[in-house]
Amino acid sequence: MEKRPFRTTCSTDICFAIFISSAIVWIFLCFDYSTFHPSNNGVRGISSSLNPNKLLLKPSPLSARTLDPCSGRYLFIQNIPSRFNSDLITNCQSLTRGTDKSDMCPYFVNSGLGPEIEDSRGVFLNNSWFKTNQFLLEVIFHNKMKQYECLTNDSAMASAVYVPFYAGLDISHYLWNPSITIRDSSARDFLSSISEKPEWKRMFGRDHFFVAGRISWDFRRQTDEVSDWGSKLRFLSESHNMTMLSVEASSWKNDFAIPYPTYFHPSKLSEIVEWQSLMRARQRQHLFTFTGAPRPDLTDSIRGMVIEQCRGSSLCKFIDCSSDGVNCDDPTTTMEAFQSSIFCLQPPGDSYTRRSIFDSILAGCIPVFFHPGTAYSQYLWHFPKNQTAYSVFIPVRNVKKWDESIEGILSGISKDRESSMREEVIRVIPSIVYGDPRSKIGNLEDAFDLAVKGILERVENVRKNIREGRDPSEGFDGPDHFKYTFSNND
Ligand SMILES: *[C@@H]1O[C@H](CO)[C@@H](O)[C@H](O)[C@H]1NC(C)=O
Ligand SMILES: *[C@@H]1O[C@H](CO)[C@@H](O)[C@H](O)[C@H]1NC(C)=O
Ligand SMILES: *[C@@H]1O[C@H](CO)[C@@H](O)[C@H](O)[C@H]1NC(C)=O
Ligand SMILES: *[C@@H]1O[C@H](CO)[C@@H](O)[C@H](O)[C@H]1NC(C)=O
């Protein structure tokens, strides 16, 4: 998994450089961070209509809200040309995994979950484990949306509009294209098609959202230099008004992070419970583990230093994804390592986040983070608010001056503290898995449900702003200079 098939937008250093230069500008702007967080005030149930005044001014009566369990939760799936979604599946042989030219088609089976895992080593449960590719999140999310219990065909009733644009699969055709015009052409076509729909007009797209299985930076090219990475999708004007959910958010307020898909897609509550108790009971022979490939070009990076410390410690298990005979694309390799470790190191790599954050949590391994952008400022709807309850933070403000001993810090953590953190990690498992889209798991909020809940609250906040006469763009888009910084009390 760490042999990340795609070259991502920026090396950590470049990300920092972007951040620092932007921060200088942002620091002068006073953003109210609180407006950015979805509030929990539960103001919902506003019936909408194509008439903006009616939509904005008239909350539905209380009685209607209590009678209809879907009130305030209706979603409308926008109909968009098939070139932006199903054609990408039909023509899957034209998709590549970037530098790795292997075929993506096998991953599309089972509603996008991928082929079922054949497990001869007893690492998984017998059912509901799949060789899931992270880029298929767009397809999985769409398939789950088709089963969402509060869909409506009447867009006037909908609280938010889901746009089934497979943004990441689409851009994967063009990311390496030297022509800026070609790289952006699909984004432009998509935006003009979506903004012509009647549903756009009622809130100028501010109730629209779509999902990407790639990091946000892939859609945030800041200049028109050919060497600059990505498309401009998120900087085009219509796009400002929409929310994008992706595996890694940028520092713009209209980008939200949702979990990378793991290999586990339970179809029954009992499977999750069984898995949680297996992970609780596991004997973990390694204090900590790191799974990934060294990057010769990133020798000054925290990742290089983490690998060096892991190699030098008898308590650390290093799975070197670059070595012969180690296949980190095989879920058994990585999941087995996470299951036999107490702590899992998650330094930033090509980008801030990594899929293995979620695979390791699924294995009941306590995450160790080195940068707030790896998790704390990302998965706001899915991770516990209390960071210290489920993870260890070893901040690296300056790689060159960093001289912490990971082994020293981790071996100093008491057994009691360790078990309470692991219990919290195991408690988080249901929130970070995407249940099998082909079945509905009764009383459980999975990663999809939490994402939908987050979106509904966000759109409701926009409505509230409009009702109260404020600018709907307030707190909606624009950069958020707190997002990737270390807070003063770390
Ligand atoms: C999986 O199935 C095999 C063969 O049917 C059985 O022996 C094994 O106990 C099962 N494993 C789990 C975890 O249920
Ligand atoms: C929406 O319309 C389609 C096609 O007429 C129908 O199959 C589907 O069940 C409808 N969905 C809802 C939620 O009413
Ligand atoms: C974005 O929303 C604002 C209202 O907040 C609206 O004035 C603007 O026209 C919208 N942009 C597009 C492209 O629809
Ligand atoms: C967060 O978790 C830690 C460790 O479990 C605990 O000591 C602390 O009181 C918690 N903080 C809050 C604000 O709940």
Side-chain angles (χ1 to χ4, degrees), residues 119 122-127 274-275 278:
D119 174 27
V123 175
F124 311 109
L125 295 176
N126 280 331
N127 301 309
E274 185 185 356
W275 181 254
L278 275 175

Side-chain angles (χ1 to χ4, degrees), residues 112-355:
L113 302 179
E116 269 189 79
I117 292 177
E118 286 166 36
D119 174 27
S120 54
R121 278 149 66 186
V123 175
F124 311 109
L125 295 176
N126 280 331
N127 301 309
S128 300
W129 287 81
F130 302 83
K131 224 182 146 181
T132 305
N133 181 291
Q134 74 169 71
F135 301 118
L136 276 280
L137 177 61
E138 299 157 7
V139 179
I140 297 169
F141 201 96
H142 188 192
N143 285 327
K144 285 186 71 73
M145 187 59 80
K146 289 175 186 163
Q147 303 300 320
Y148 176 64
E149 68 271 20
C150 299
L151 283 184
T152 175
N153 277 339
D154 175 5
S155 64
M157 271 180 73
S159 292
V161 176
Y162 166 64
V163 185
F165 173 37
Y166 300 164
L169 295 177
D170 177 74
I171 192 60
S172 72
H173 284 123
Y174 312 110
L175 272 176
W176 290 267
N177 196 302
S179 157
I180 294 293
T181 317
I182 294 175
R183 247 193 266 164
D184 294 341
S185 64
S186 188
R188 290 184 195 281
D189 292 351
F190 162 68
L191 292 172
S192 63
S193 117
I194 187 83
S195 58
E196 276 162 11
K197 306 267 181 189
E199 287 76 21
W200 183 267
K201 294 182 184 65
R202 63 177 193 181
M203 277 178 82
F204 300 103
R206 290 191 189 272
D207 52 355
H208 285 45
F209 70 102
F210 63 96
V211 174
R214 302 188 67 98
I215 64 173
S216 296
W217 307 100
D218 290 351
F219 310 99
R220 287 203 178 268
R221 195 189 65 241
Q222 308 224 31
T223 71
D224 282 345
E225 296 293 323
V226 170
S227 60
D228 202 354
W229 178 255
S231 83
K232 220 180 184 171
L233 170 69
R234 297 295 285 145
F235 287 124
L236 299 173
S237 66
E238 293 88 351
S239 195
H240 280 288
N241 289 8
M242 285 193 271
T243 302
M244 180 170 84
L245 311 182
S246 64
V247 291
E248 176 176 326
S250 71
S251 49
W252 273 262
K253 294 182 183 178
N254 51 1
D255 284 342
F256 280 79
I258 60 174
Y260 284 75
T262 65
Y263 302 111
F264 187 34
H265 304 283
S267 52
K268 294 195 213 79
L269 188 57
S270 62
E271 287 171 351
I272 298 190
V273 174
E274 185 185 356
W275 181 254
Q276 285 175 303
S277 49
L278 275 175
M279 291 307 102
R280 203 171 276 130
R282 279 290 297 200
Q283 293 297 317
R284 295 172 190 265
Q285 60 269 42
H286 307 293
L287 179 65
F288 57 120
T289 189
F290 178 71
T291 302
R295 296 287 153 86
D297 50 328
L298 293 177
T299 41
D300 264 354
S301 74
I302 176 62
R303 185 190 177 101
M305 295 168 84
V306 161
I307 291 175
E308 203 175 299
Q309 287 202 22
C310 184
R311 278 192 163 129
S313 163
S314 60
L315 304 178
C316 189
K317 169 95 176 155
F318 174 47
I319 304 276
D320 181 352
C321 295
S322 69
S323 71
D324 287 344
V326 176
N327 178 7
C328 290
D329 262 353
D330 176 357
T332 319
T333 309
T334 51
M335 290 302 294
E336 198 167 43
F338 300 148
Q339 286 175 25
S340 44
S341 300
I342 297 169
F343 296 100
C344 285
L345 308 182
Q346 302 294 1
D350 295 333
S351 69
Y352 289 115
T353 65
R354 312 168 78 214
R355 171 188 176 150

Side-chain angles (χ1 to χ4, degrees), residues 14-31 217 222 251-252 352 371 479-486:
I14 297 172
C15 284
F16 274 118
I18 292 174
F19 159 69
I20 284 163
S21 53
S22 317
I24 292 165
V25 177
W26 302 343
I27 213 108
F28 294 105
L29 306 168
C30 191
F31 290 105
W217 307 100
Q222 308 224 31
S251 49
W252 273 262
Y352 289 115
H371 193 280
D480 179 344
H481 76 277
F482 290 102
K483 208 158 173 181
Y484 288 101
T485 51
F486 290 90

